[in-house]
Amino acid sequence: MAVSKAHEFEKDEIKLAELAKALSHPARIAILKKLAKDNVCICGDLVSDLPLAQSTVSQHLKELKRVGLIHGEIEGPKSSYCINPETISQLSGLIDKLFKVFDSCCPPTKPITIKKGK
Amino acid sequence: MAVSKAHEFEKDEIKLAELAKALSHPARIAILKKLAKDNVCICGDLVSDLPLAQSTVSQHLKELKRVGLIHGEIEGPKSSYCINPETISQLSGLIDKLFKVFDSCCPPTKPITIKKGK
DNA sequence: TTATATTATCGTATATTTACGATAAACGAT
DNA sequence: ATCGTTTATCGTAAATATACGATAATATAA
């Protein structure tokens, strides 16, 4: 990155960027989906699901944990991970806020309700 | 990245990851917000808004353009950019889909409705 | 205590990202 | 045609990210 200037931006922008970065790899999205479906899941299951080496999966888990999207507990030789609903909720809020800005710009895209206005 | 294995994942995961990566820098979020507010905006305005060199801003714009989140037209010596609602809408859809998966896992976070437990 | 299984970490190689200054390109104005 | 303004691209440097194999760590099972 070289000389990150992240501190020059708004707090929300920085946080959203950080969370978006966590979602910026298909493996991490797949991990989150798997964790969501299974509610709790041990690392080994993820490794056999993904086309990646065990150490790589572990790295992705670490990153997801770092930003708070999941937490993991080491129980014995196995580690079980699960979604952290709080951060998911935070992400949801930040995304909603961003998309509200988009609505102000472009015609609203989703539930098409007729809007008066120029 | 080294030996990207993106092709081993689902199409939606890859696309969402790509769009999330575009959002993974505060400058690009700031650019999108500015474009949304101003509807259309020339590069120079963005440069003076952001704590980054002109060439760096241009790079970020290029990346946003590459993934289709904005389009830009070169009119004369100035370039004007604007949001591409189609890709915004696509992103919105992919995010909604992902968050639906989360709802299935964790207690729903937003409109708190009492649910009978398992 | 000694295996066995599972996961984290280390070391390493390579690709990508981010940033800047310098330069090129493109158009409008003179 | 030349100048000035604006933007894109090039070259480059440094930080991150991604991936793997090898190894260390840890708890369970024997």
Side-chain angles (χ1 to χ4, degrees), chain A residues 23-95:
Chain A
L23 297 181
S24 75
H25 194 290
R28 290 193 291 267
I29 293 177
I31 288 172
L32 289 173
K33 281 163 70 178
K34 173 89 171 165
L35 290 186
K37 258 201 293 188
D38 295 7
N39 219 332
V40 153
C41 147
I42 62 171
C43 176
D45 296 339
L46 294 166
V47 173
S48 40
D49 258 37
L50 300 173
L52 295 170
Q54 177 267 323
S55 55
T56 305
V57 173
S58 199
Q59 238 179 115
H60 285 304
L61 286 167
K62 191 179 180 184
E63 177 61 15
L64 287 172
K65 205 171 164 186
R66 191 187 66 79
V67 301
L69 281 169
I70 66 176
H71 23 62
E73 291 166 31
I74 304 177
E75 23 179 88
K78 313 193 178 184
S79 297
S80 66
Y81 287 94
C82 62
I83 299 280
N84 178 2
E86 282 185 40
T87 308
I88 296 287
S89 159
Q90 182 184 14
L91 173 58
S92 173
L94 290 170
I95 288 175

Side-chain angles (χ1 to χ4, degrees), chain B residues 60-80:
Chain B
H60 284 305
L61 286 167
K62 191 179 179 183
E63 177 61 16
L64 287 171
K65 205 171 163 184
R66 191 186 66 79
V67 301
L69 282 169
I70 66 177
H71 24 64
E73 292 167 30
I74 304 177
E75 24 178 88
K78 311 191 176 181
S79 297
S80 66

